[in-house]
């Protein structure tokens, strides 16, 4: 399918020779050039003005902390950014301004340009919006355009600013909103998440979204499982290096905290930002107590790995050597066009 002139212009402006970010800026930061050979996935970020779209994008991809998003202004029309993710995969992110005039234009004069070749639609709802009926109307208009132009696109709805809802009411309100959204989305399927920029729920939602875009994720998971079994780990997690979103994991034992992944993402990313302010870079960490040892280390050029061990007879040096020895294999797996090999048990 041919691209419109505006899409070609956007690619020409945003893609080009690879450049190194300044000290402290990760490769996934917004605006850095990426190779023209990259596999691009178009992601639409939509919702009414003031719903929190740009704030969440800035926290996940541009290293903002929650309190700093207050200085962000309203998005005018569409802001394009290309985010390099796992080597050859590039998220072509379209942050669409939510003012009424812009929204109407998206469904009329810009309809084909906006909704064509979309891999993922992320629609953000302000849970305390006083114009819920209008919000739902715009959402349905988005779905109609998606069904017409990109019927295979995956749909995600984020019920945002949940921190403003009383804690004892959050489950009920989210469940009601989720049921309404799933009913309105038919015949398309939508996945719903409750989110807030002030806790780990934002990382849970975006990890789930990005997971759907990784082309060889099953191969990655199979090899991660083999790696965990070879080194006798309780659990292994793979994080994208810049955003620290969880992209794959394997666990041998049940864990008590179902939200531990996104909590770790949030904590470590904040620590990484603190390091960068001191012109230092975060490379690795070991946490140990009487029950377990957890190792977080650079794994490949695009990932960190976390390995959790509970066997006290396995020394730290052995685990670190195993992580080092597995790096080259997982580097090959990350390349979209790379060889599809398997880490074998011995």
């Amino acid at each position: 399918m041919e691209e419109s002139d505006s899409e070609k212009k956007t690619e020409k402006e945003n893609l080009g020779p690879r450049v190194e970010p300044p000290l402290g800026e990760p490769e996934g930061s917004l605006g850095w050039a990426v190779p023209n050979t990259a596999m691009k996935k178009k992601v639409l970020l939509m919702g009414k003005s003031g719903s929190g779209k740009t704030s969440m994008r800035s926290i996940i991809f541009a290293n903002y902390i929650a309190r700093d998003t207050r200085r962000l202004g309203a998005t005018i029309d569409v802001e394009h950014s290309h985010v390099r993710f796992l080597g050859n995969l590039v998220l072509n992110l379209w942050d669409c301004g939510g003012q009424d005039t812009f929204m109407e234009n998206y469904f009329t004069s810009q309809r084909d340009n906006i909704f064509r070749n979309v891999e993922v639609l992320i629609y953000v709802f302000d849970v305390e919006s006083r114009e819920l009926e209008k919000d739902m109307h715009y959402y349905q208009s988005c779905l109609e355009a998606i069904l017409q132009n990109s019927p295979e696109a995956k749909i995600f709805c984020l019920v945002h600013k949940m921190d403003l809802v009383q804690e004892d009411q959050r489950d009920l309100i989210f469940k009601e909103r989720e049921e309404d959204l799933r009913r309105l989305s038919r015949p398309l399927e939508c996945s719903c998440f409750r989110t807030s920029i002030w806790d780990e729920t934002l990382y849970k939602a975006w990890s789930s979204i990005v997971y759907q875009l990784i082309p060889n994720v099953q191969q990655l998971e199979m090899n991660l499982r083999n790696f965990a079994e070879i080194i006798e780990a309780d659990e292994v997690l793979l994080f994208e290096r810049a955003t620290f979103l969880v992209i794959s994991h394997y666990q041998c034992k049940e864990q008590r905290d179902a939200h531990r992944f996104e909590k770790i993402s949030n904590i470590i990313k904040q620590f990484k930002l603190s390091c960068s302010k001191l012109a230092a870079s975060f490379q690795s960490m070991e946490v140990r107590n009487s029950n377990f040892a957890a190792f977080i280390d650079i794994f490949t050029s695009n990932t960190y790995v976390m390995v959790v061990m509970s066997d006290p007879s396995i020394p730290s040096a052995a685990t670190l050597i195993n992580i080092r020895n597995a790096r080259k294999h997982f580097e090959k797996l990350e390349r979209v066009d790379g060889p599809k090999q398997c880490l074998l048990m011995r």
Side-chain angles (χ1 to χ4, degrees):
M1 184 178 291
E2 293 186 356
E3 295 174 316
S4 67
D5 291 340
S6 60
E7 284 180 312
K8 292 178 180 177
K9 181 180 179 182
T10 298
E11 291 179 9
K12 185 177 180 181
E13 291 174 347
N14 286 278
L15 296 179
R18 177 68 181 162
V19 294
E20 292 300 321
L23 184 64
E25 289 293 332
E27 291 191 357
S29 297
L30 296 176
W32 292 109
V34 293
N36 288 316
T37 56
M39 174 183 287
K40 289 171 285 186
K41 304 276 189 175
K42 182 175 178 180
V43 178
L44 287 187
L45 183 58
M46 306 194 76
K48 281 283 291 173
S49 180
S51 61
K53 303 182 299 297
T54 303
S55 293
M56 65 171 64
R57 175 180 67 118
S58 299
I59 288 171
I60 296 295
F61 295 111
N63 288 336
Y64 274 66
I65 58 177
R67 65 174 179 268
D68 289 345
T69 61
R70 294 167 179 163
R71 69 173 186 258
L72 293 170
T75 301
I76 305 302
D77 201 8
V78 181
E79 289 187 6
H80 302 273
S81 54
H82 288 80
V83 184
R84 182 175 179 172
F85 207 89
L86 284 185
N88 289 344
L89 177 61
V90 174
L91 305 186
N92 181 8
L93 194 59
W94 295 43
D95 185 355
C96 302
Q99 294 90 332
D100 290 344
T101 302
F102 296 143
M103 294 293 276
E104 294 298 337
N105 285 338
Y106 301 152
F107 305 131
T108 53
S109 60
Q110 299 185 58
R111 187 183 184 93
D112 289 345
N113 181 38
I114 295 288
F115 294 100
R116 187 168 54 192
N117 300 328
V118 174
E119 293 280 342
V120 167
L121 167 66
I122 305 168
Y123 202 97
V124 182
F125 294 89
D126 180 348
V127 70
E128 290 208 323
S129 173
R130 298 183 179 180
E131 297 181 309
L132 182 58
E133 189 173 334
K134 180 184 284 188
D135 293 347
M136 293 298 189
H137 169 70
Y138 281 143
Y139 174 60
Q140 283 189 297
S141 297
C142 283
L143 293 180
E144 291 171 3
I146 285 289
L147 198 58
Q148 179 182 0
N149 292 276
S150 303
E152 301 300 318
K154 297 176 177 66
I155 314 297
F156 294 89
C157 294
L158 307 187
V159 182
H160 196 47
K161 303 185 182 180
M162 288 295 291
D163 56 285
L164 300 177
V165 178
Q166 290 185 7
E167 192 168 353
D168 61 348
Q169 295 293 311
R170 290 176 188 173
D171 288 344
L172 177 62
I173 289 174
F174 174 73
K175 185 176 180 180
E176 291 176 349
R177 194 64 58 86
E178 181 180 32
E179 289 175 353
D180 289 341
L181 290 170
R182 289 190 171 181
R183 176 176 49 81
L184 288 173
S185 300
R186 295 171 186 157
L188 296 171
E189 296 287 334
C190 77
S191 299
C192 300
F193 295 90
R194 65 184 88 187
T195 55
S196 167
I197 63 172
W198 299 101
D199 60 30
E200 67 276 1
T201 55
L202 193 62
Y203 286 89
K204 178 179 177 62
W206 279 89
S207 290
S208 299
I209 292 167
V210 168
Y211 177 87
Q212 299 288 332
L213 294 170
I214 300 172
N216 59 337
V217 69
Q218 288 80 17
Q219 186 80 12
L220 195 60
E221 288 181 332
M222 181 180 66
N223 281 270
L224 205 64
R225 174 178 180 171
N226 290 344
F227 175 56
E229 292 176 348
I230 290 170
I231 67 172
E232 300 179 15
D234 294 358
E235 189 165 39
V236 179
L237 284 74
L238 205 60
F239 299 93
E240 198 277 327
R241 188 166 177 173
T243 63
F244 236 81
L245 296 174
V246 177
I247 55 176
S248 185
H249 79 280
Y250 176 74
Q251 66 182 60
C252 301
K253 296 182 179 179
E254 285 297 321
Q255 305 292 335
R256 287 180 295 179
D257 189 352
H259 306 290
R260 63 195 181 283
F261 300 160
E262 46 270 21
K263 288 178 180 177
I264 294 168
S265 292
N266 197 5
I267 291 168
I268 299 298
K269 188 168 185 183
Q270 296 307 313
F271 181 68
K272 282 182 63 184
L273 294 179
S274 299
C275 291
S276 67
K277 290 176 182 178
L278 299 173
S281 60
F282 171 74
Q283 288 189 315
S284 63
M285 176 186 294
E286 178 179 346
V287 179
R288 179 180 290 274
N289 63 21
S290 59
N291 298 315
F292 72 92
F295 305 83
I296 300 176
D297 202 353
I298 291 175
F299 199 42
T300 68
S301 58
N302 299 292
T303 61
Y304 277 84
V305 69
M306 177 174 175
V307 176
V308 180
M309 311 283 291
S310 63
D311 186 344
S313 67
I314 300 177
S316 297
T319 300
L320 294 174
I321 289 171
N322 285 328
I323 291 173
R324 184 184 65 199
N325 289 341
R327 282 178 179 145
K328 186 178 292 186
H329 176 79
F330 279 86
E331 283 277 11
K332 293 178 182 178
L333 287 175
E334 277 184 17
R335 295 196 293 269
V336 173
D337 56 349
K340 301 299 182 284
Q341 299 174 348
C342 182
L343 196 64
L344 299 176
M345 296 287 291
R346 291 184 179 179

